[in-house]
Amino acid sequence: MMARPLKYYMPVCGLGLTQIMGYGTLLYSYAVLLPIMADELGLGLSDVFGLLSIGFFFGGLSAILAGFAVDRIGGRWVMSLGSVASAGGLWGLSQVTGPIGLTVAILLTQMAAMFVLYDVAFASIAKLRPGPAAQSAISGITLFGGVASTIYWPLTLALSNLYGWQVTWQIHAASVLLICVPAHWFSLRTENGTCAPPEKRKEGSETWPPLQGPARRQAMIWMVLSFTFSGYIMGALMSLWVSNVEALGHSAAVAVSAGALIGPAKTAGRFFELIFGRELHPLITSFISLGLMMIGFSILLGFGATFAGLMVFAVLYGMGDGIKTITMGTLPLALFGPEGFGARLGWIAFIRMSVNSSSPFLFAWITEAYGGWTSFSAMALFILMGLGALFFVKRHSQ
């Protein structure tokens, strides 16, 4: 086999870098900065996370447009302009002086985020790596993104302690503008030129034929339900991790230290999927991912008051969530084929985020009213429901 030129790997590496920065600035930073902003702006924890819930809802609306745009014009323009808009939203967060300004800034930031995060990145890489190679490319992109929380939670905490939340948002905005915009533009520059030819699987290995007929619709419904249930906790967990762990009796520093393990664990899970999961149907890896997350929550609920319990949860949850991120791109591709892939991911993201937009507010309210343990228990219930929905996907895909 001929060695591949360096430019072959540029899209995966470039998009991987931007996913680290995108998720770090556009999602994980909220966990550190929103509680600080709430204190200074005279708002409650559930108030600011309620505003974030509204932002997630409108972000879901923009995901539809982002998916269609990638199908029509490709990811180069979509992700480059999305990074410019994201930088503007992050800068706007540094300028807020009250709840109205915070609402507007969060809305703009979350709507712009849907043009640069995983769903758009998956659709963009699928255009460059048609056929079975798309699965490996998606795995490669998420391999980078797994360290976003590891880098950005401690980085954001350190910056806010040194310079305050306003300057921290400004630094995040400048980094997105100066790094992500050119990374998207140059890493996807071959999109309007010659795309890589589809890769063939080894002899004896077959691609997974898309579902047809009534089974297709039923499998789609249950798959979206599984994604929605299991994804319901993501924004809340990442945004409320520090607050919830403090409610268990730990310090913010301990919460950040434990949370920093989630990123490497995501990367480890994605690495194992990349190495061992290429010949597995994404439905199988979906079961593995939610199973790991469920075991992690069981340990957290039983031993979360101890530092060791937090560490074990972070590793198991991180590995499961890392694999789940991959299957959110590969499972729709395997079950329903590449035609209209960007639009399909956009609609799935819209449904998922429309429902999940209430999660930061709901879980913040549960934390304030009943404590961190109860909040984590409610999150575990949603993972269990997502796992149950997968069994129905399997039933209709056989």
Side-chain angles (χ1 to χ4, degrees):
M1 181 183 294
M2 294 180 60
R4 289 167 176 163
L6 181 62
K7 67 179 182 179
Y8 182 89
Y9 299 98
M10 283 187 62
V12 172
C13 295
L15 292 179
L17 171 64
T18 63
Q19 295 312 293
I20 294 174
M21 299 185 64
Y23 275 94
T25 59
L26 298 168
L27 180 60
Y28 296 135
S29 293
Y30 288 123
V32 176
L33 298 180
L34 278 188
I36 300 173
M37 296 172 70
D39 289 339
E40 292 197 18
L41 298 175
L43 301 172
L45 187 65
S46 59
D47 294 328
V48 293
F49 282 103
L51 297 178
L52 184 59
S53 293
I54 297 173
F56 285 159
F57 175 79
F58 282 93
L61 289 175
S62 68
I64 300 175
L65 177 60
F68 276 106
V70 173
D71 282 342
R72 297 297 294 272
I73 65 174
R76 189 184 192 192
W77 280 100
V78 172
M79 300 193 78
S80 298
L81 294 177
S83 291
V84 174
S86 297
L90 291 168
W91 185 273
L93 284 168
S94 73
Q95 305 300 309
V96 301
T97 57
I100 295 178
L102 182 60
T103 302
V104 173
I106 287 178
L107 285 178
L108 293 176
T109 304
Q110 291 309 301
M111 291 177 70
M114 292 302 100
F115 288 81
V116 298
L117 296 181
Y118 275 143
D119 288 323
V120 168
F122 293 162
S124 298
I125 204 67
K127 290 176 70 69
L128 290 173
R129 300 286 182 266
Q135 180 177 350
S136 296
I138 289 172
S139 299
I141 292 171
T142 60
L143 192 64
F144 285 83
V147 299
S149 60
T150 305
I151 295 172
Y152 274 88
W153 270 339
L155 175 62
T156 301
L157 181 62
L159 289 174
S160 64
N161 288 336
L162 287 172
Y163 305 113
W165 58 269
Q166 294 96 336
V167 175
T168 301
W169 283 125
Q170 292 170 6
I171 293 173
H172 286 341
S175 66
V176 168
L177 186 64
L178 296 176
I179 299 176
C180 291
V181 174
H184 285 140
W185 185 255
F186 289 109
S187 65
L188 293 172
R189 70 184 185 276
T190 59
E191 193 167 296
N192 295 323
T194 303
C195 291
E199 289 188 359
K200 297 181 179 180
R201 288 181 177 268
K202 295 180 297 184
E203 186 177 353
S205 176
E206 298 179 355
T207 57
W208 302 295
L211 296 177
Q212 304 294 334
R216 181 182 177 94
R217 181 176 181 180
Q218 292 297 320
M220 172 68 79
I221 292 172
W222 286 108
M223 183 191 70
V224 172
L225 284 175
S226 180
F227 285 170
T228 301
F229 288 142
S230 60
Y232 191 78
I233 71 166
M234 180 185 175
L237 181 66
M238 296 298 97
S239 302
L240 288 165
W241 172 258
V242 176
S243 301
N244 273 9
V245 172
E246 285 181 313
L248 294 180
H250 300 283
S251 67
V254 169
V256 169
S257 298
L261 277 181
I262 294 178
K266 286 184 179 183
T267 301
R270 291 164 182 171
F271 177 78
F272 285 121
E273 194 280 340
L274 181 64
I275 299 300
F276 302 108
R278 293 191 65 180
E279 302 303 323
L280 292 178
H281 194 285
L283 186 57
I284 302 300
T285 52
S286 295
F287 276 109
I288 294 172
S289 68
L290 295 191
L292 287 171
M293 294 168 71
M294 196 66 231
I295 295 171
F297 268 106
S298 300
I299 292 173
L300 179 66
L301 295 175
F303 305 98
T306 67
F307 184 70
L310 289 179
M311 295 292 126
V312 175
F313 166 79
V315 171
L316 291 176
Y317 172 84
M319 291 184 68
D321 189 54
I323 297 172
K324 182 174 75 71
T325 303
I326 297 173
T327 62
M328 290 177 68
T330 58
L331 186 57
L333 192 61
L335 293 180
F336 309 109
E339 185 177 355
F341 184 52
R344 186 176 300 113
L345 288 185
W347 277 106
I348 292 173
F350 165 66
I351 297 170
R352 187 181 74 243
M353 294 188 66
S354 296
V355 176
N356 295 357
S357 62
S358 63
S359 67
F361 171 77
L362 173 63
F363 289 113
W365 176 80
I366 293 175
T367 299
E368 286 187 326
Y370 301 104
W373 189 90
T374 304
S375 182
F376 282 134
S377 298
M379 293 180 188
L381 178 61
F382 278 94
I383 295 295
L384 186 61
M385 291 190 293
L387 190 58
L390 275 183
F391 284 96
F392 288 94
V393 177
K394 183 177 184 298
R395 176 181 176 183
H396 290 288
S397 61
Q398 291 177 334

